[in-house]
């Protein structure tokens, strides 16, 4: 039965496959969202904080729950320690696009220090947006969140790699949340096992976001594979990866799926491979993921849109290629 389920799930991830399952919940996840730099300049020039999402919102809004990684704080507070800080008015765009849950566990959320992180959490909560992967202390950050939608309880957790070569600031800055200090949840196998086991007692589905790997590399690192497989073994239904800025492969194991990197969603990087991404759509019920597909995305003028024609075929062929290397 497990083998038959895996075969059917594997067949379903091409974009032309209709999510025809009677499952009560459609979950959507996208890649990295960065709302500073050229994205901000273009949106301000257009006079529209929804501008980055105008060509794609029809896709993200149609799901029951939509998830993304927020690359950097949304705040007008703090002091620059690294690269990104976006205008809080972009919350309007996130709401317009229909996002429900955001991961803050990444290597840019502390770019303007603890003050901007806390301000971001407060602003998101005030606008009804859930966040995971960071909080005012480590215990709270590791609790994740549970959202009830269409009769199902969906649990979310998020983690990030930290340390040299991954998290960087111009001045010393703590990154990992502690018992007393705000911060992010580090990607550790023991945390994954403990947190997923605990969350499964409260949730029908468990979705885990991982900020991991090497930038611009389409092959997952050994650490990514260890963490991802540990999450599935602990009971996660979906593991969603961010940070490489390019597409990495999909792995099926047990009752769950690992998407090692969905690439970029809203970003201003210039390499063609960094202008490509995937939207994951999954039909779910109380038994887990029943169908899954990936929609090819291309970014033009800092706006993601569904890829068509030759570009769409190239993206899906790339997904097939990098996924086959994982077997």
């Amino acid at each position: 039965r497990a083998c038959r389920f895996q075969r059917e799930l594997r067949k379903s991830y091409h974009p032309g496959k209709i999510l025809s399952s009677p499952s009560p919940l459609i979950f959507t996840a996208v890649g990295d969202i960065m709302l500073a730099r050229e994205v901000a300049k273009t949106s301000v020039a257009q006079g529209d904080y929804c501008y980055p999402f105008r060509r794609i919102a029809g896709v993200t809004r149609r799901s029951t729950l939509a998830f993304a990684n927020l690359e950097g704080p949304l705040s007008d507070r703090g002091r620059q320690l690294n690269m990104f800080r976006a205008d809080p008015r972009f919350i309007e765009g996130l709401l317009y696009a229909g996002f429900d849950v955001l991961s803050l566990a990444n290597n840019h959320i502390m770019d303007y220090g603890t003050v901007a992180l806390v301000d971001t959490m407060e602003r998101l909560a005030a606008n009804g947006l859930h966040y995971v992967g960071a909080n005012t202390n480590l215990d709270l950050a590791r609790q994740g969140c549970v959202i009830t939608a269409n009769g199902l309880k969906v649990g979310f957790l998020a983690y990030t790699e930290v340390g040299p070569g991954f998290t960087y600031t111009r001045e010393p800055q703590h990154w990992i949340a502690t018992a007393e200090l705000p911060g992010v949840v580090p990607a550790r196998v023991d945390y994954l096992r403990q947190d997923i086991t605990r969350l499964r007692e409260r949730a029908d589905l468990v979705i885990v976001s991982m900020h991991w790997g090497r930038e611009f590399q389409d092959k997952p690192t050994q650490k990514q594979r260890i963490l991802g497989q540990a999450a599935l073994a602990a009971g996660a239904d979906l593991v969603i990866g961010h940070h490489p800025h390019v597409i990495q492969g999909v792995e099926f194991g047990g009752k769950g799926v690992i998407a090692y990197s969905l690439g970029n969603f809203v970003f201003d990087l210039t390499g063609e491979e960094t202008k490509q991404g995937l939207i994951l759509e999954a039909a779910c019920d109380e038994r887990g993921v029943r169908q899954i597909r990936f929609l090819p995305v291309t970014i033009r003028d800092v706006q993601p849109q569904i890829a068509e024609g030759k570009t769409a075929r190239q993206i899906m062929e790339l997904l097939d290629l990098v996924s086959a290397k994982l077997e």
Side-chain angles (χ1 to χ4, degrees):
R1 185 180 301 172
C3 289
R4 185 166 62 249
F5 169 73
Q6 288 298 326
R7 283 198 303 270
E8 291 305 312
L9 199 57
R10 284 171 183 266
K11 291 178 185 177
S12 73
Y13 74 77
H14 288 280
K17 180 75 173 182
I18 297 173
L19 289 180
S20 58
S21 168
S23 300
L25 185 142
I26 302 297
F27 171 74
T28 296
V30 304
D32 289 325
I33 293 179
M34 190 282 296
L35 297 168
R37 217 159 51 186
E38 292 303 315
V39 178
K41 290 179 183 178
T42 305
S43 300
V44 170
Q46 295 287 331
D48 184 7
Y49 287 95
C50 298
Y51 177 80
F53 307 102
R54 289 291 182 188
R55 295 185 180 182
I56 204 72
V59 177
T60 51
R61 290 170 66 95
R62 71 190 180 197
S63 59
T64 315
L65 290 174
F67 176 89
N69 170 62
L70 180 62
E71 195 83 64
L74 293 175
S75 179
D76 52 12
R77 303 182 63 192
R79 186 164 56 90
Q80 186 175 19
L81 302 176
N82 192 15
M83 297 175 69
F84 301 142
R85 182 182 65 175
D87 194 310
R89 285 175 285 187
F90 275 111
I91 291 176
E92 177 187 350
L94 294 169
L95 292 170
Y96 165 76
F99 288 107
D100 301 282
V101 189
L102 301 168
S103 171
L104 304 184
N106 57 62
N107 62 319
H108 285 291
I109 199 64
M110 300 286 277
D111 278 5
Y112 276 71
T114 302
V115 170
L117 167 64
V118 173
D119 187 39
T120 299
M121 294 188 296
E122 291 175 348
R123 290 176 183 271
L124 293 176
N127 284 276
L129 285 164
H130 300 268
Y131 58 86
V132 286
N135 215 307
T136 52
N137 62 60
L138 184 59
D139 284 343
L140 289 175
R142 289 180 58 191
Q143 285 181 12
C145 73
V146 176
I147 300 174
T148 300
N150 290 1
L152 293 179
K153 294 180 180 179
V154 186
F156 292 89
L157 295 164
Y159 305 82
T160 182
E161 290 191 54
V162 293
F166 201 91
T167 45
Y168 167 81
T169 50
R170 298 169 186 173
E171 302 173 14
Q173 169 66 50
H174 87 278
W175 216 271
I176 299 172
T178 69
E180 295 84 22
L181 295 174
V184 301
V185 186
R188 290 174 35 170
V189 169
D190 58 338
Y191 283 1
L192 281 168
R193 289 172 177 162
Q194 294 164 11
D195 299 347
I196 293 171
T197 299
R198 183 168 55 244
L199 197 60
R200 282 233 71 104
E201 296 176 356
R202 299 193 290 137
D204 300 303
L205 299 167
V206 173
I207 297 169
V208 178
S209 171
M210 302 295 300
H211 208 78
W212 57 6
R214 296 195 183 107
E215 291 181 319
F216 316 120
Q217 301 296 312
D218 62 18
K219 181 180 179 181
T221 64
Q222 183 180 14
K223 183 175 183 179
Q224 281 177 266
R225 300 199 70 179
I226 290 171
L227 288 166
Q229 290 163 9
L232 292 190
D237 296 285
L238 275 172
V239 180
I240 301 162
H242 302 92
H243 178 68
H245 300 301
V246 296
I247 293 169
Q248 293 184 345
V250 181
E251 186 172 9
F252 299 85
K255 291 179 61 180
V257 183
I258 306 170
Y260 280 101
S261 173
L262 297 180
N264 286 330
F265 187 66
V266 175
F267 230 104
D268 63 354
L269 294 173
T270 56
E272 194 59 34
E273 70 280 4
T274 67
K275 294 181 180 180
Q276 298 176 348
L278 299 166
I279 295 177
L280 178 157
E281 289 187 323
C284 308
D285 61 21
E286 69 280 355
R287 297 170 295 172
V289 179
R290 310 315 298 169
Q291 283 185 286
I292 193 167
R293 70 174 178 178
F294 291 86
L295 304 180
V297 171
T298 184
I299 301 171
R300 295 291 179 264
D301 298 323
V302 307
Q303 289 180 314
Q305 56 195 288
I306 298 298
E308 299 177 343
K310 181 181 178 181
T311 301
R313 289 193 299 273
Q314 289 175 337
I315 293 173
M316 296 310 296
E317 288 170 0
L318 172 62
L319 178 60
D320 279 342
L321 177 64
V322 294
S323 298
K325 293 178 181 179
L326 300 173
E327 296 179 355

